[in-house]
Amino acid sequence: MELTTPTGASILVNLADDFIHGFAKMKVKRIGYGAGQSDMDFPNVLKLYLGEASGRRFNHDEITLLETNIDTATGETMGYLFEQLFEEGALDVVLVPCIMKKNRPGHILKVMCNQADVEQLTALIMEETGTLGVRVMPHAHRLTLSRRIVEKKVVVGDREFKVRFKVAFDSAGVIAFERAEFEDLRRISKKTGLSLRKVREELKS
Amino acid sequence: MELTTPTGASILVNLADDFIHGFAKMKVKRIGYGAGQSDMDFPNVLKLYLGEASGRRFNHDEITLLETNIDTATGETMGYLFEQLFEEGALDVVLVPCIMKKNRPGHILKVMCNQADVEQLTALIMEETGTLGVRVMPHAHRLTLSRRIVEKKVVVGDREFKVRFKVAFDSAGVIAFERAEFEDLRRISKKTGLSLRKVREELKS
Amino acid sequence: MELTTPTGASILVNLADDFIHGFAKMKVKRIGYGAGQSDMDFPNVLKLYLGEASGRRFNHDEITLLETNIDTATGETMGYLFEQLFEEGALDVVLVPCIMKKNRPGHILKVMCNQADVEQLTALIMEETGTLGVRVMPHAHRLTLSRRIVEKKVVVGDREFKVRFKVAFDSAGVIAFERAEFEDLRRISKKTGLSLRKVREELKS
């Protein structure tokens, strides 16, 4: 049995931006019912919820994930490849130790990148490591927070420093958290002789 | 050259539930041939196999896989996040140690969940770890066995215990294996003072 | 506003084999402009680039990736499963150590295979390890180099050996690299008593 008319289907398709499984995370504001004319085995009623989305509003983008299993390169080569991948446009790179066939210790190389860089990064991986195949995982959707950098003056020991804070906020402008930039804490640690741990503690107090 | 007529294509599309690459795993029962009228460079023959599927009949469902690389949280935080993710509806959570940029030891957090929970779990991960992006891997198809719990009486040492067994069976009702519930073995180990290993051995004998 | 006519769209769809985000990796040979008749808020100009693809020309194929998290099998069982998976047609298998719920050390088993083998390999994994679900990652696209085996005579110590080299070349026939087959180096190491490291060095000189 069809549970919608062509008109109903066409309204849905044209008005809805997205469909989800399950119930949306929202604060329900209003509820409406409409009764149909056909007699069915179950109540012939359409229920509509109008609500305000609760929770974070994320940014959405798409990235590509490259993966390959490597047992044909030394640690030296892998470390150098890491650097080169970032230079050639990789967004992030991680190495995961793993066990491969014939008792071989190996690594899974995972590279996050834009689609336009797939072929160039793949060529680089192959030429440096001698691997013959790279998997291109279909465009992973990514939920992100926006970030802006805010500079603050802080006192560590008896000296004043400028520290950049990464402020993460969602697409509704709500701040999720802020985090001092690592490179600035590192600089303060070097200049004051205090441990990184100590510098972090001073910032919080 | 087109190798099917519109009628042939429409029969296929309407009668077939699924298409696979390669040859289906089945016991072939009958084979039929039909010859076409056109003269081609190769035998113009259509071959049909009728068979019974062999092997396990799995249940199929879809889950979503969240992934993010984390180097901004302590072990304490990660352990606590683990608990929280399960409380908020995660189906499974694993942490994979990895090497990140700038020689940083990190972890890939992998969360299996239903699509309806993606945004809430993502918000939790971001707020606890300070990561700015979470990858949402496109709906992984999942093959599963069904399970039912069967309670049996077993003798361990000189005492009788009730032990639940997880019985795994496929969609044709064929039992694949059964496995004593860990929590029950744990309870017997505590009560008898025997090691978990010893308890397992007693159960098998 | 629509930025193409039906004719324009249909030319694109029929002539293009593929669409990419971003700009193609190529050496631009010629550039052409065409001006449209409508007056718009921006220059109504179509720009075409004709170029030669630069960089490697990869082969493309599709593989399927199976994944499951396992904490219900011993190391012995996992090692044996490894062997069996290759015998049943797996293209590659890796084991990634991970941390699972309740402080359990576990492994993520990743199996690369052809789609036709998914159900059989899944059944094998379930029966050996007692896991109840296996994720089937949607057909990962794979970029590969072709390979051919070339046999060369090499002198190691004062003896001559035949060594097979795997020569990797792209779809334009350009050689990317060559690599001595591990099993041949292993054989020479055994026969000469030299370390594998030493054998490799002799080959390079």
Side-chain angles (χ1 to χ4, degrees):
Chain A
M1 192 197 316
E2 289 188 359
L3 294 175
T4 183
T5 58
T7 313
S10 123
I11 289 175
L12 270 184
V13 167
N14 284 289
L15 293 187
D17 283 334
D18 202 5
F19 293 88
I20 64 165
H21 294 277
F23 198 82
K25 302 283 170 203
M26 61 177 179
K27 278 186 200 151
V28 176
K29 297 286 180 186
R30 302 178 73 176
I31 296 178
Y33 294 87
Q37 285 170 1
S38 313
D39 254 340
M40 300 177 176
D41 294 343
F42 51 88
N44 183 3
V45 169
L46 179 70
K47 186 173 183 180
L48 272 175
Y49 295 85
L50 190 65
E52 270 176 25
S54 53
R56 291 264 163 252
R57 314 299 307 270
F58 296 107
N59 305 314
H60 296 250
D61 66 6
E62 305 263 308
I63 54 158
T64 300
L65 184 60
L66 306 181
E67 262 195 29
T68 187
N69 312 337
I70 298 175
D71 62 1
T72 51
T74 64
E76 274 178 355
T77 296
M78 296 301 279
Y80 181 52
L81 176 59
F82 226 91
E83 275 176 46
Q84 283 176 292
L85 287 167
F86 278 112
E87 280 165 17
E88 296 289 332
L91 302 175
D92 203 1
V93 181
V94 296
L95 273 177
V96 182
C98 66
I99 303 160
M100 297 178 66
K101 66 181 174 192
K102 301 183 185 178
N103 305 315
R104 296 175 182 172
H107 285 88
I108 301 176
L109 175 70
K110 290 167 87 107
V111 179
M112 278 117 278
C113 65
N114 293 318
Q115 205 208 338
D117 295 323
V118 166
E119 303 232 334
Q120 194 169 343
L121 295 176
T122 296
L124 178 59
I125 294 167
M126 287 179 173
E127 256 132 272
E128 282 296 355
T129 68
T131 192
L132 287 161
V134 168
R135 297 186 293 282
V136 183
M137 309 303 282
H139 321 263
H141 194 85
R142 196 168 54 158
L143 300 179
T144 59
L145 293 173
S146 298
R147 63 195 87 182
R148 63 168 172 267
I149 299 295
V150 172
E151 207 175 79
K152 297 187 188 177
K153 285 180 182 161
V154 299
V155 177
V156 176
D158 50 358
R159 294 164 63 186
E160 199 179 73
F161 293 93
K162 282 184 185 168
V163 173
R164 287 166 300 169
F165 284 78
K166 196 178 271 166
V167 180
F169 57 98
D170 69 13
S171 64
V174 182
I175 291 177
F177 54 84
E178 59 173 47
R179 201 172 70 209
E181 284 280 83
F182 167 74
E183 294 299 342
D184 288 358
L185 302 186
R186 188 175 174 280
R187 181 174 43 85
I188 298 174
S189 171
K190 289 277 182 197
K191 284 204 179 150
T192 57
L194 296 171
S195 69
L196 188 66
R197 183 181 186 87
K198 192 74 192 160
V199 172
R200 278 196 204 279
E201 278 174 13
E202 296 269 319
L203 246 70
K204 279 169 198 156
S205 64
Chain B
M1 193 197 313
E2 289 187 0
L3 293 175
T4 184
T5 58
T7 313
S10 122
I11 290 175
L12 270 184
V13 167
N14 283 290
L15 294 187
D17 283 334
D18 202 5
F19 294 88
I20 64 166
H21 295 276
F23 199 80
K25 303 285 170 202
M26 61 176 178
K27 279 185 200 151
V28 176
K29 297 286 180 187
R30 304 177 72 176
I31 297 177
Y33 294 88
Q37 284 171 0
S38 311
D39 254 340
M40 300 179 174
D41 293 344
F42 51 88
N44 183 4
V45 169
L46 179 69
K47 186 174 184 180
L48 272 175
Y49 294 85
L50 190 65
E52 269 176 24
S54 54
R56 290 262 164 255
R57 314 298 308 271
F58 296 107
N59 305 314
H60 296 248
D61 65 5
E62 304 263 307
I63 53 159
T64 300
L65 184 60
L66 307 181
E67 263 195 28
T68 187
N69 312 336
I70 299 175
D71 62 0
T72 51
T74 64
E76 273 177 354
T77 296
M78 296 301 278
Y80 181 51
L81 176 59
F82 225 90
E83 276 176 46
Q84 283 176 291
L85 287 166
F86 278 112
E87 280 166 17
E88 296 288 332
L91 302 174
D92 203 2
V93 181
V94 296
L95 273 177
V96 182
C98 67
I99 303 161
M100 298 178 65
K101 65 181 174 192
K102 300 184 186 177
N103 305 315
R104 296 175 182 173
H107 284 89
I108 301 176
L109 175 70
K110 289 168 89 108
V111 179
M112 278 117 279
C113 64
N114 293 318
Q115 203 207 339
D117 297 323
V118 166
E119 302 232 334
Q120 194 171 344
L121 295 176
T122 296
L124 178 60
I125 294 167
M126 287 178 172
E127 256 132 273
E128 281 297 354
T129 67
T131 191
L132 286 162
V134 169
R135 298 187 294 282
V136 183
M137 309 303 281
H139 319 263
H141 194 84
R142 196 168 55 159
L143 300 179
T144 59
L145 293 173
S146 298
R147 63 195 87 181
R148 64 166 171 266
I149 299 294
V150 172
E151 207 175 78
K152 296 186 187 179
K153 285 180 182 161
V154 299
V155 178
V156 176
D158 49 359
R159 294 165 64 185
E160 200 180 72
F161 293 94
K162 282 183 185 166
V163 173
R164 287 166 299 169
F165 284 78
K166 196 178 270 167
V167 180
F169 57 98
D170 69 13
S171 64
V174 182
I175 290 176
F177 55 83
E178 59 173 47
R179 202 172 70 208
E181 284 280 84
F182 167 74
E183 294 299 343
D184 288 358
L185 301 186
R186 188 175 174 280
R187 182 175 42 85
I188 298 175
S189 171
K190 289 277 182 200
K191 284 204 178 149
T192 58
L194 296 171
S195 69
L196 188 67
R197 184 182 186 86
K198 192 75 189 160
V199 172
R200 278 194 203 279
E201 278 174 14
E202 296 270 318
L203 246 70
K204 279 170 198 155
S205 65
Chain C
M1 193 196 316
E2 289 187 0
L3 293 175
T4 183
T5 59
T7 312
S10 123
I11 289 174
L12 271 184
V13 167
N14 284 289
L15 294 187
D17 283 332
D18 202 5
F19 294 87
I20 65 166
H21 293 278
F23 198 80
K25 302 285 169 201
M26 61 176 179
K27 277 185 201 152
V28 176
K29 297 286 180 185
R30 302 178 72 179
I31 296 177
Y33 294 88
Q37 285 171 0
S38 312
D39 254 341
M40 301 177 175
D41 293 344
F42 51 89
N44 182 4
V45 169
L46 178 71
K47 186 173 183 180
L48 271 175
Y49 294 84
L50 190 64
E52 269 176 25
S54 53
R56 291 263 163 252
R57 312 300 307 270
F58 296 106
N59 305 314
H60 296 249
D61 65 6
E62 304 263 308
I63 54 158
T64 301
L65 185 60
L66 307 182
E67 262 195 28
T68 187
N69 312 337
I70 299 175
D71 62 1
T72 52
T74 64
E76 272 178 354
T77 297
M78 297 301 279
Y80 181 52
L81 176 59
F82 226 90
E83 276 176 45
Q84 283 176 293
L85 287 166
F86 277 112
E87 280 166 18
E88 297 288 332
L91 301 174
D92 203 1
V93 181
V94 297
L95 273 177
V96 182
C98 66
I99 303 160
M100 298 177 66
K101 65 182 174 191
K102 301 184 185 177
N103 304 316
R104 296 175 181 173
H107 285 89
I108 301 176
L109 175 71
K110 289 168 88 107
V111 179
M112 279 116 278
C113 65
N114 293 318
Q115 205 208 337
D117 296 324
V118 166
E119 302 232 334
Q120 194 170 344
L121 295 175
T122 296
L124 178 59
I125 294 168
M126 287 179 172
E127 256 132 271
E128 281 297 355
T129 67
T131 191
L132 287 161
V134 169
R135 298 187 292 283
V136 183
M137 309 303 281
H139 320 261
H141 194 84
R142 196 168 54 159
L143 300 179
T144 60
L145 294 173
S146 298
R147 62 195 88 181
R148 64 168 170 267
I149 299 294
V150 173
E151 207 175 77
K152 297 186 187 177
K153 285 179 185 162
V154 300
V155 178
V156 176
D158 50 359
R159 293 165 64 186
E160 199 180 73
F161 293 92
K162 283 183 184 164
V163 173
R164 287 166 300 168
F165 284 78
K166 196 177 269 167
V167 180
F169 56 99
D170 69 14
S171 65
V174 181
I175 291 177
F177 55 83
E178 61 173 45
R179 200 172 71 208
E181 284 281 82
F182 167 74
E183 294 299 342
D184 288 357
L185 301 186
R186 188 177 175 278
R187 182 172 44 84
I188 297 175
S189 171
K190 289 277 181 199
K191 284 203 180 150
T192 57
L194 296 171
S195 70
L196 188 67
R197 184 182 185 86
K198 192 75 190 160
V199 173
R200 278 195 202 278
E201 279 173 12
E202 296 270 318
L203 245 70
K204 279 170 197 153
S205 64

